[in-house]
């Protein structure tokens, strides 16, 4: 019996075992950017503190913020490039630039808000909301007539502008797409968007002066002047929202035999109602603080007036302007009333934006089943 044995196999080379890369390698720890920011702020504060002590001047907060921001950008970019690579370093640099730009944009907004709130609250009182300036000289009086006038004039302007703006946008998107008339309307709307507000006031005054004679002042004139400023904003915002509605929704409605006008009213408008509402509120916020056109058209008044078609009517922007420009004795009372009017105007704009968000949330189409 012959026994055969397999030839010996050569030893197989074994691959070297490599250590699995760690997820934390080549990454800055989470606290590193904050530590660099704190170090940059401290270094900038030390530098400007030494300069202030040497020159005897006050601490330069703006210069300290600029130097600290530049130092942070240099340090975070260099550190990230050495540890994480050049690509991540550039990413952190751009992120830092965008963040600093956002903070710079927030500085005037926060500053104006704080200034108006601090100075405006000091001028608020029960009398400010319950009385007008009729027969008031010096201290006392209120802005009830200006608040009522602002609400009435802005409401009338919205009643005029919103239907015209929405119907114009519907024509541009649904009916006149690409036509010569629609291109002309779009051009005119773009031109109207950039006209100065004083031009709108002069237009309304000229129209009524031709009909009723020179020197006419009425609340409805202010509403028409504001509507000239509101209509292009409503048209452009509504047009963009209608263009975002998918064509598949329109085609599905047409396939079911629904006419075009009903498709627009039942499908297109409900789908875009949130964006349209936001655009309308933005247009109202854009005109509610206008002073020049209302000064020309609605004029200045010291007593209550509920009739838009009879006599002058005071508004909050004109009230703040007149109180500050025509200061009496004591002057501080007039300044306090001007700041309080500005504060109430900001509160009204915030309320309008809050209402817009609520309406958009309630009437927007629900995505759930």
């Amino acid at each position: 019996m012959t026994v055969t044995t397999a030839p010996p196999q050569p030893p197989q080379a074994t691959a070297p075992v490599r250590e699995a890369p760690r997820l934390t390698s080549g990454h800055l720890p989470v606290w590193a950017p904050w530590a660099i920011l704190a170090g940059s702020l401290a270094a900038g504060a030390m530098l400007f503190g030494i300069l202030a002590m040497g020159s005897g001047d006050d601490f330069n907060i703006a210069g300290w913020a600029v130097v600290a921001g530049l130092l942070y950008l240099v340090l975070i970019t260099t550190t990230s490039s050495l540890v994480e690579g050049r690509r991540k370093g550039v990413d952190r640099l751009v992120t830092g630039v965008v963040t600093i730009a956002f903070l710079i944009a927030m500085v005037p907004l926060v500053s104006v808000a704080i200034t108006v709130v601090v100075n405006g609250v000091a001028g608020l009182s029960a009398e400010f909301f319950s009385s007008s300036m009729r027969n008031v000289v010096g201290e006392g009086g209120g802005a009830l007539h200006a608040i009522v006038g602002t609400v009435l004039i802005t409401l009338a302007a919205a009643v005029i502008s919103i239907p015209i703006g929405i119907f114009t946008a519907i024509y541009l998107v649904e009916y006149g797409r690409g036509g010569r008339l629609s291109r002309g309307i779009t051009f005119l709307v773009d031109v109207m968007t950039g006209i100065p507000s004083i031009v709108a006031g002069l237009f309304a005054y000229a129209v009524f002066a031709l009909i009723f004679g020179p020197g006419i002042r009425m609340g409805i004139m202010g509403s028409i002047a504001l509507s000239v400023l509101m209509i292009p904003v409503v048209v452009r915002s509504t047009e963009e929202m209608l263009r975002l509605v998918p064509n598949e929704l329109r085609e599905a409605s047409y396939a079911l035999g629904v006419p075009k006008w009903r498709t627009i009213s039942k499908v297109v408008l409900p789908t875009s109602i949130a964006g349209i509402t936001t655009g309308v509120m933005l247009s109202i916020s854009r005109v509610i603080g206008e002073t020049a056109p209302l000064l020309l058209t609605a004029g200045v008044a010291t007593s209550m007036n509920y009739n838009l078609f009879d006599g002058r009517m005071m508004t909050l922007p004109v009230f703040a302007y007149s109180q500050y420009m025509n200061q009496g004795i004591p002057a501080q009372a007039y300044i306090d009333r001007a700041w309080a009017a500005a504060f109430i105007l900001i509160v009204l704009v915030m309320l309008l934006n809050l209402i817009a968000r609520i309406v958009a949330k309630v009437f927007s189409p629900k995505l759930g089943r």
Side-chain angles (χ1 to χ4, degrees), residues 62-333:
W64 165 65
V66 171
V67 171
L70 294 176
L71 185 60
Y72 169 77
L73 291 177
V74 172
L75 292 178
I76 193 64
T77 304
T78 305
T79 305
S80 178
S81 299
L82 294 175
V83 177
E84 300 174 316
R86 180 177 176 274
R87 185 175 183 179
K88 188 66 175 177
V90 174
D91 179 73
R92 289 189 181 273
L93 172 64
V94 175
T95 302
V97 171
V98 172
T99 304
I100 292 175
F102 166 74
L103 294 177
I104 293 175
M106 290 295 294
V107 168
L109 175 63
V110 175
S111 176
V112 169
I114 293 176
T115 303
V116 173
V117 171
V118 171
N119 293 280
V121 171
L124 296 180
S125 63
E127 187 180 8
F128 185 83
F129 295 99
S130 59
S131 62
S132 65
M133 292 298 296
R134 183 179 178 85
N135 299 328
V136 175
V137 178
E139 297 180 347
L144 179 61
H145 61 308
I147 297 174
V148 172
T150 298
V151 172
L152 292 178
I153 290 177
T154 308
L155 181 61
V159 171
I160 296 172
S161 306
I162 294 174
I164 296 176
I166 292 179
F167 289 152
T168 303
I170 290 174
Y171 172 79
L172 293 176
V173 176
E174 302 294 338
Y175 293 96
R177 184 178 301 178
R180 182 177 301 177
L181 180 59
S182 64
R183 291 197 299 269
I185 294 174
T186 302
F187 174 75
L188 293 177
V189 168
D190 292 338
V191 172
M192 290 178 61
T193 304
I195 64 172
S197 59
I198 188 67
V199 175
L202 289 172
F203 166 76
Y205 176 79
V207 171
F208 278 80
L210 290 174
I211 300 174
F212 299 98
I216 185 70
R217 297 288 190 278
M218 288 190 297
I220 192 63
M221 294 171 60
S223 300
I224 293 177
L226 296 184
S227 66
V228 173
L229 300 174
M230 283 183 63
I231 288 175
V233 180
V234 176
V235 171
R236 296 302 294 171
S237 60
T238 304
E239 184 181 359
E240 294 301 325
M241 291 301 105
L242 294 178
R243 292 186 189 279
L244 293 178
V245 178
N247 285 328
E248 289 78 5
L249 296 179
R250 298 181 177 89
E251 294 171 356
S253 179
Y254 297 152
L256 295 175
V258 180
K260 189 169 187 175
W261 70 269
R262 195 169 184 83
T263 299
I264 295 172
S265 62
K266 296 296 183 179
V267 177
V268 179
L269 289 179
T271 304
S272 57
I273 188 64
I276 293 175
T277 304
T278 303
V280 169
M281 291 298 109
L282 287 176
S283 66
I284 296 176
S285 302
R286 182 245 189 274
V287 302
I288 197 173
E290 290 291 345
T291 305
L294 296 177
L295 193 62
L296 287 173
T297 55
V300 179
T302 58
S303 57
M304 298 294 298
N305 183 9
Y306 298 96
N307 190 352
L308 288 169
F309 300 91
D310 183 20
R312 298 169 181 258
M313 183 174 288
M314 181 63 89
T315 56
L316 281 172
V318 178
F319 178 80
Y321 170 79
S322 62
Q323 290 294 310
Y324 186 80
M325 295 301 297
N326 304 314
Q327 298 179 16
I329 299 175
Q332 189 61 40

